[in-house]
Amino acid sequence: MSDTSPAGPADSPGSSDAPDFDEMTRDIAEVPAVEVIVTVAVNLMSAAAVKLGLTEEGDKYKDLDEARKLITALAGLLDASTTEISSFHAAPLRDGLKSLQLAFREASLIPDEPGQGPGEKYTGPVYG
């Protein structure tokens, strides 16, 4: 017995559920690298702020282990891209990173030694 039913919505070529990878590739191709780097950095900063409990919800989403990972990733991205993005873009991102590092130090019950905090292997020790 053969199935002669029409293709379901997920099987149709113009389905709105399926991502259009060609269109996504064209969109990405039009974005300058600096903009991609800055956008990723801002997303990392925002996620770290949430994990540090710095949002209106406060401690609801606080998770210092997750915040440490995000801050370290941000520091690595900024360290690697410093020569690729202008100081116009880099300076505010570095300021935001330092603020997150200081907020992490303040939120920690047992503070890391100077130079051992999140991202400090890229930025050096952060002091208040």
Side-chain angles (χ1 to χ4, degrees), residues 57 59 88 95:
E57 291 86 11
D59 289 346
F88 174 79
D95 290 344

Side-chain angles (χ1 to χ4, degrees), residues 41-56:
V42 169
N43 285 331
L44 287 168
M45 291 174 77
S46 298
V50 169
K51 297 298 184 176
L52 285 169
L54 301 177
T55 61
E56 289 181 12

